[in-house]
Amino acid sequence: MKKRLQGVVVGVLIGAMLTSGAVFAKQISETAELIYNNIKISMNGQEILPKDANGNYVEPFTINGTTYLPVRAVANALKIDVDWDGSTSTVILSNALTAPFTLAAGQYIVGEDIAAGKYDCSAVSGSGNFTGTVESLGFMGLNEILAEEGHEFFKDQVTYSNLRLKDGDIIKIGGDLKVEFIKK
């Protein structure tokens, strides 16, 4: 039921964005009356306080009877990653894992299992191979050994910084290694 509700909400959000985009794509600007009426957002009985990327409160509003909600606040409540591509004026929603998160041994596909982006990766426990086919790293790809802090053999190999992941890249974690991904 929760997944279905999330799908409906995401569908409504995307539909509203596409409809709005079609209207505004035809015109350079349009004047509209925004009505702020102390609109509240609630999910599963919990109030959501909508905030922008800087943590500032953003109040929902209506235009011509349609209510508009801040996409970041709603996406965060639904545990959906949201990003902005200013070059194409596109809101990007993804239900892949969003940082920070920790992954154990296995293979992960960027865009399906992990959201694309730039990460600092740190070993939080164990040790093992941290490899993968990562386009930004070229022919050699990702090929590191990471280990938790204080490991007797790999003391200096705790973190891999500035890892740029794009959709389709593959990350593999071996051994008993657990890696935390923190988005930059």
Side-chain angles (χ1 to χ4, degrees):
M1 179 68 174
K2 183 177 178 184
K3 286 283 185 194
R4 184 173 177 208
L5 176 62
Q6 286 178 351
V8 170
V9 171
V10 170
V12 169
L13 286 171
I14 291 171
M17 286 187 295
L18 293 175
T19 302
S20 297
V23 170
F24 290 113
K26 294 179 186 176
Q27 301 174 349
I28 293 173
S29 67
E30 184 174 304
T31 303
E33 181 181 12
L34 304 180
I35 300 172
Y36 292 93
N37 195 18
N38 196 26
I39 298 168
K40 293 179 178 51
I41 305 171
S42 175
M43 182 173 148
N44 298 326
Q46 296 287 348
E47 184 173 3
I48 299 169
L49 295 175
K51 295 182 180 180
D52 64 17
N54 298 319
N56 300 315
Y57 178 75
V58 181
E59 186 174 350
F61 56 87
T62 59
I63 300 175
N64 297 328
T66 300
T67 302
Y68 292 84
L69 304 176
V71 69
R72 181 171 302 282
V74 174
N76 287 343
L78 296 172
K79 308 257 188 277
I80 296 172
D81 195 29
V82 63
D83 207 353
W84 171 252
D85 183 346
S87 65
T88 60
S89 296
T90 303
V91 174
I92 302 165
L93 300 173
S94 171
N95 59 2
L97 288 173
T98 58
F101 57 87
T102 301
L103 297 175
Q107 178 173 300
Y108 305 92
I109 300 172
V110 178
E112 294 178 24
D113 305 311
I114 305 170
K118 186 175 175 182
Y119 295 92
D120 282 344
C121 304
S122 299
V124 292
S125 70
S127 65
N129 294 323
F130 186 55
T131 62
T133 307
V134 177
E135 181 181 321
S136 67
L137 295 175
F139 171 72
M140 296 301 289
L142 178 65
N143 189 10
E144 298 291 325
I145 295 174
L146 293 181
E148 66 185 305
E149 192 171 339
H151 191 279
E152 68 179 290
F153 297 115
F154 306 109
K155 298 176 194 162
D156 300 327
Q157 296 171 301
V158 175
T159 301
Y160 189 91
S161 297
N162 299 317
L163 179 61
R164 295 173 193 262
L165 298 177
K166 294 184 177 182
D167 287 349
D169 286 348
I170 297 172
I171 296 293
K172 296 177 185 176
I173 300 172
D176 63 348
L177 177 64
K178 289 187 181 176
V179 179
E180 180 180 43
F181 288 69
I182 298 175
K183 199 162 192 178
K184 294 192 68 150

